[in-house]
Every structure is written in C-alpha cells, then in structure tokens.
Amino acid sequence: MLVCYKVPRIVAIGPYHHHRAHLKQAEKVKHAAAIDLVTRSGRLLEDMYGEVASAADDDRRLFDKDVMAGIGYDDFRHMMFFDACFLVQYILMQSGEKIDQGLRGFIGPNRKDIRHDITLLENQLPWKVVQRVMGFTVVIKPVHDPLNWLKRFISIFKGFVQDQKPPKSKQDNAGSSDDDDDEEEEEEHNRSSSSDDYSCYQAPHLLGLLQHFHCRRRKRKKKP
C-alpha cells in the first residue's frame, strides 16, 4: 500500500493524487494544454496520443500495484497524456517560451504551488512519457530545440529541488552577494553542460532529472 507523505496543492501529476477533490480544477487546464499543443504542432491528435500511450503502457508497471489495480488501461493512458501536456506547457513557460494566454493565466498566478507540486516524489510522471510530448513540441514555432529550453528550465529551477546547496558561512559570504554566486553558478552550468548531457541521461522523472544535474553542478563547484 502506498503511503503519501505530502499532498499536492493544486495539480496532480501521475496516478497517486488524481482522486483528490481540491485538484480537479487543474484537470480542465490539462485538457486545454493538450489541445493547444496538438493544434500548434500541426500534427494529428492520434499521432501524439499514440506515442504517449505506447510509453504509458511500458511504464505502467513502475507505479504502486494497489493503486494501479483501480485504474484501467485507457484511463491511465488518458492521464499520462494530459499530465505530460500540462508539464511540457509549464516547462515551456518557465523557460521563457510563449504559451497560450489562457494557460498562462492559470500557470502564472499558481506557479509557486505548481513548482511545489512537481517536485514531490509521489507526484511524478515517467520521463519517457514527457519526452514523447516534447518530441512533438519541436515543430511548434517559435519554440527552439527542446534540449535548449529544457536546459534553460533546469538552470532556472536550480533553487527549488531538495538537493540544495548548504547555507554559506558569514566568511564565505564576505565580499560577494547571493546574486553574484547564482550568476557564476549558472554560467558554470551552461559552460560545462553540453546538449549530449541532456540527451544521454535517462531520467526516471522530472525530479530525478533536476536532482541529477544539480548534484553534478555542486560536485564540480567543490573541485579545487
């Protein structure tokens, strides 16, 4: 039986919290996110959905068996599709790309709660599912290569994962500001993280992806 330690504030990602009443408003937004991605891509809904459904079937086994026993295959595929579309739209907006104004109207005012929710371990989506949606997002204009806007998102998101850098002593802080440190850290991250890093690492989910690159960056900063 799955034991949940934290509950999302505004959006359920994955199957563990979809039943919660206070998260139902976001379900309508997920549908809008999917419609917008499909429309702007110029591709058929069946094509995008088929790609996601295939990945969802492969990854269904990764979730708690007791929870999945109450979720049919079609319902699970729908859930994965709409959740992935919402997550991609959030990543796009946070990385500086343009998204639909209606979606921005929901994500913008609630971005702190969404940020909290997508970093909960029990509120994750298999990254392979998200990548299938990102693959279709490549053709949307003026969106750039997904590796570029994903890299920007990870860099911007650096302060909000559990694996945060420890607080500095007063001596360490003397003569430098937090903003300066953040700028230096981001520059180092951009110099040392090539596109191959992002395309080769097989993340289990978004939280794992964020932790992977932030752990690597902290290790690099510790080197003499």
Side-chain angles (χ1 to χ4, degrees):
M1 180 177 179
L2 178 73
V3 178
C4 295
Y5 296 98
K6 290 187 178 181
V7 174
R9 297 170 181 171
I10 196 167
V11 62
I13 301 293
Y16 295 141
H17 298 286
H18 262 262
H19 63 286
R20 299 186 184 277
H22 73 283
L23 305 177
K24 294 301 181 183
Q25 180 186 1
E27 295 304 307
K28 297 180 181 179
V29 180
K30 292 176 185 178
H31 284 73
I35 292 171
D36 180 65
L37 282 179
V38 173
T39 301
R40 293 171 59 191
S41 72
R43 303 289 293 276
L44 294 175
L45 170 62
E46 291 80 3
D47 292 341
M48 185 184 292
Y49 183 84
E51 287 289 321
V52 173
S54 175
D57 288 345
D58 291 341
D59 290 340
R60 182 184 172 95
R61 59 184 173 77
L62 301 176
F63 294 95
D64 182 81
K65 292 182 179 179
D66 291 338
V67 173
M68 297 310 298
I71 302 176
Y73 277 86
D74 284 342
D75 289 340
F76 182 69
R77 291 166 185 158
H78 294 344
M79 182 190 304
M80 293 292 102
F81 178 71
F82 290 117
D83 286 3
C85 288
F86 177 85
L87 198 55
V88 167
Q89 293 275 23
Y90 174 78
I91 293 173
L92 284 171
M93 177 176 167
Q94 292 301 102
S95 64
E97 298 289 351
K98 294 181 179 179
I99 68 169
D100 176 76
Q101 282 297 109
L103 295 173
R104 184 178 291 274
F106 176 83
I107 294 175
N110 297 301
R111 61 186 180 278
K112 290 184 179 180
D113 287 336
I114 297 172
R115 185 173 63 206
H116 165 272
D117 291 350
I118 66 173
T119 54
L120 297 178
L121 181 58
E122 295 141 1
N123 209 38
Q124 298 297 314
L125 213 60
W127 190 243
K128 183 169 66 174
V129 172
V130 181
Q131 285 180 312
R132 296 293 174 89
V133 174
M134 290 172 63
F136 283 84
T137 311
V138 174
V139 300
I140 298 177
K141 304 298 182 183
V143 172
H144 311 300
D145 182 348
L147 290 179
N148 289 335
W149 46 263
L150 180 60
K151 184 176 179 179
R152 289 202 306 275
F153 172 77
I154 291 173
S155 180
I156 293 168
F157 217 79
K158 63 181 180 293
F160 305 105
V161 290
Q162 292 180 355
D163 185 61
Q164 295 181 6
K165 58 186 178 183
K168 294 185 177 182
S169 65
K170 293 182 179 179
Q171 183 176 358
D172 291 335
N173 285 329
S176 66
S177 67
D178 290 340
D179 291 340
D180 291 338
D181 293 334
D182 288 343
E183 289 178 3
E184 291 176 3
E185 185 175 342
E186 184 167 345
E187 288 176 3
E188 170 64 19
H189 175 64
N190 290 335
R191 285 195 301 268
S192 56
S193 296
S194 66
S195 295
D196 289 341
D197 294 329
Y198 291 84
S199 59
C200 294
Y201 175 62
Q202 299 298 314
H205 40 61
L206 177 60
L207 180 59
L209 185 75
L210 292 169
Q211 289 180 329
H212 170 75
F213 285 104
H214 290 296
C215 284
R216 286 187 56 194
R217 180 164 50 191
R218 284 182 58 185
K219 289 178 181 178
R220 286 196 299 268
K221 287 176 70 67
K222 289 179 181 179
K223 291 182 179 180

